[in-house]
């Protein structure tokens, strides 16, 4: 489990970067810009996910994948925790992207602990 530059260049990290961009632009794309709470949630979590993905791409560390997993689970729970379930667009955007982030991050963690599982 060496921390090499190539080890960090996994498809999961690139996928999380794409998901971070999708999350960041989602308030405009799905029309919930007028709602402050889900908009700021999308922006803050999107920036955090993007920063972690860039960090993982440039210099891999397992903790980045765990942090992404936590952020994905936060996205799933945030509509209820922050109280924006009434906005269906914001809620489903958060839940779906959160599930995708969590799945991709869990896959990355699995790869760290089972590097030859695909061979």
């Amino acid at each position: 489990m060496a921390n090499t530059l190539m080890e960090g260049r996994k498809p999961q990290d690139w996928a999380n970067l794409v998901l971070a961009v999708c999350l960041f632009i989602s308030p405009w794309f799905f029309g919930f810009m007028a709602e402050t709470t889900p908009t700021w949630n999308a922006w803050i979590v999107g920036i955090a996910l993007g920063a972690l993905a860039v960090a993982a791409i440039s210099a891999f560390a397992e903790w980045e994948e765990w942090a992404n997993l936590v952020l994905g689970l936060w996205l799933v729970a945030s509509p209820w925790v922050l109280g924006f379930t009434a906005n269906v667009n914001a809620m489903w955007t958060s839940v779906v992207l959160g599930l995708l982030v969590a799945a991709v991050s869990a896959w990355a963690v699995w790869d760290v602990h089972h590097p030859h599982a695909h061979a």
Side-chain angles (χ1 to χ4, degrees):
M1 284 186 264
N3 283 342
T4 66
L5 181 61
M6 289 308 292
E7 188 179 0
R9 295 186 185 274
K10 294 182 176 181
Q12 300 97 321
D13 300 322
W14 289 102
N16 269 335
L17 184 58
V18 169
L19 290 169
V21 171
C22 291
L23 180 61
F24 189 84
I25 65 171
S26 67
W28 291 286
F29 192 78
F30 293 111
F32 58 89
M33 272 292 296
E35 301 242 6
T36 307
T37 303
T39 297
W40 278 99
N41 188 53
W43 289 344
I44 292 167
V45 177
I47 289 169
L49 281 172
L52 287 166
V54 167
I57 289 165
S58 63
F60 178 80
E62 184 180 354
W63 69 266
E64 295 156 344
E65 307 303 339
W66 284 104
N68 279 337
L69 180 62
V70 170
L71 288 173
L73 295 174
W74 164 253
L75 283 171
V76 172
S78 65
W80 291 273
V81 174
L82 298 176
F84 60 88
T85 55
N87 185 322
V88 177
N89 290 344
M91 181 191 72
W92 282 110
T93 299
S94 187
V95 169
V96 170
L97 288 177
L99 289 172
L100 290 171
V101 167
V104 167
S105 300
W107 174 28
V109 169
W110 173 267
D111 273 357
V112 169
H113 295 282
H114 302 89
H116 302 294
H118 312 206

